[in-house]
């Protein structure tokens, strides 16, 4: 089954090459902005009262993907779905960023880890009651080679 | 820009009608299973050591979407991107579920909130260091009409 989606906006960040990008949004203090295409602006009403938001976006992977990868923070291979490696069968990125302010169709955010001009697929408010799990076990990540 | 994705598997749950589904995965104790299509099974290696995983999936919205919606837990309209309402411009669902065990190409999980036979787009391991933010402000959700 083929699934067809369209970008609702574009994410601007200081990073133009993958080598510049932080490994995760949680490790980034970089400022960026999220430009919402005009026909979707009505959808951001009341978003400014949330301090953190999920961005879902399309990752550019011209080389395709492998099902086994060596993640940035380990020296062992793992199945792609046991990692957050960006290039995957459906290369959808997921980052929680800090929402600083909303100005018209532009969201100013802190903590970006994606490349400049990344196509935005969705925004969801981050709600700890929905999104936080206590005592999570993190498998190989707990024994990773690099910090 | 049109973006083309393909399902990597299918999620099985006890829910066949939207009215039966829990409002969020965090409020669900329902058991379900995630069937990975054979060509992607290699990608779940080492996943079993994680206790919680993100499922990204396609939500069936034959009626399309509205940019302003009244969410299940409030009596006021909000912009769609300030809610977790399922039908949205790109109807990608995001749920954290508890991974109980992996049996071949089948993941047994607890805490499903999606409908039976939902197309699976991606699995990511849940890692608190990446995914938890402290002191998040939750806007209208903090003043919502219903619990």
């Amino acid at each position: 089954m083929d699934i067809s989606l369209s970008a609702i906006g574009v994410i601007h960040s200081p990073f133009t090459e993958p080598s510049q990008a932080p490994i995760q949004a949680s490790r980034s203090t970089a400022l960026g902005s999220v430009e919402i295409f005009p026909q979707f602006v009505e959808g951001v009403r009341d978003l400014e009262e949330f301090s953190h938001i999920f961005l879902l976006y399309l990752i550019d992977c011209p080389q395709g993907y492998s099902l086994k990868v060596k993640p940035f923070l380990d020296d062992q291979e793992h199945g792609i779905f046991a990692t957050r490696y960006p290039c995957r069968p459906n290369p959808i990125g997921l980052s929680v960023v800090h929402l600083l302010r909303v100005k018209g169709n532009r969201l100013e955010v802190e903590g970006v880890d994606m490349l400049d001009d990344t196509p935005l697929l969705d925004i969801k408010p981050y709600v700890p009651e929905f999104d936080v799990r206590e005592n999570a076990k993190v498998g190989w990540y707990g024994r990773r080679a690099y910090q």
Side-chain angles (χ1 to χ4, degrees), chain A:
Chain A
M1 186 187 59
D2 276 347
I3 297 159
S4 186
L5 304 175
S6 293
I8 60 161
V10 60
I11 307 173
H12 302 285
S13 90
F15 312 117
T16 55
E17 298 290 335
S19 62
Q20 300 170 331
I23 286 179
Q24 283 285 328
S26 61
R27 295 173 172 219
S28 171
T29 55
L31 298 176
S33 68
V34 180
E35 176 190 344
I36 311 291
F37 294 150
Q39 65 270 35
F40 299 109
V41 170
E42 204 179 359
V44 300
R45 207 181 65 174
D46 301 334
L47 188 64
E48 73 277 3
E49 287 193 305
F50 290 82
S51 62
H52 293 78
I53 56 177
F54 285 108
L55 301 178
L56 280 77
Y57 50 89
L58 192 74
I59 299 169
D60 185 34
C61 291
Q63 313 295 328
Y65 66 87
S66 301
L67 289 176
K68 288 196 282 187
V69 297
K70 201 179 286 186
F72 300 119
L73 296 174
D74 206 9
D75 58 3
Q76 305 288 316
E77 280 197 333
H78 304 285
I80 185 77
F81 301 121
T83 78
R84 302 286 282 259
Y85 200 80
C87 293
R88 37 208 311 125
N90 290 309
I92 301 174
L94 176 69
S95 298
V96 182
V97 298
H98 181 193
L99 178 60
L100 301 174
R101 66 189 65 80
V102 178
K103 286 186 175 176
N105 76 326
R106 188 172 289 266
L107 318 182
E108 296 180 6
V109 297
E110 182 185 39
V112 293
D113 63 336
M114 66 293 288
L115 294 184
D116 193 27
D117 286 332
T118 287
L120 176 68
L121 295 175
D122 196 14
I123 299 172
K124 299 181 195 289
Y126 176 83
V127 177
E129 184 197 320
F130 302 156
D131 301 313
V132 174
R133 297 294 185 279
E134 303 293 337
N135 305 314
K137 291 184 199 158
V138 297
W140 67 261
Y141 188 77
R143 308 180 298 271
R144 67 191 183 276
Y146 314 112
Q147 289 305 312

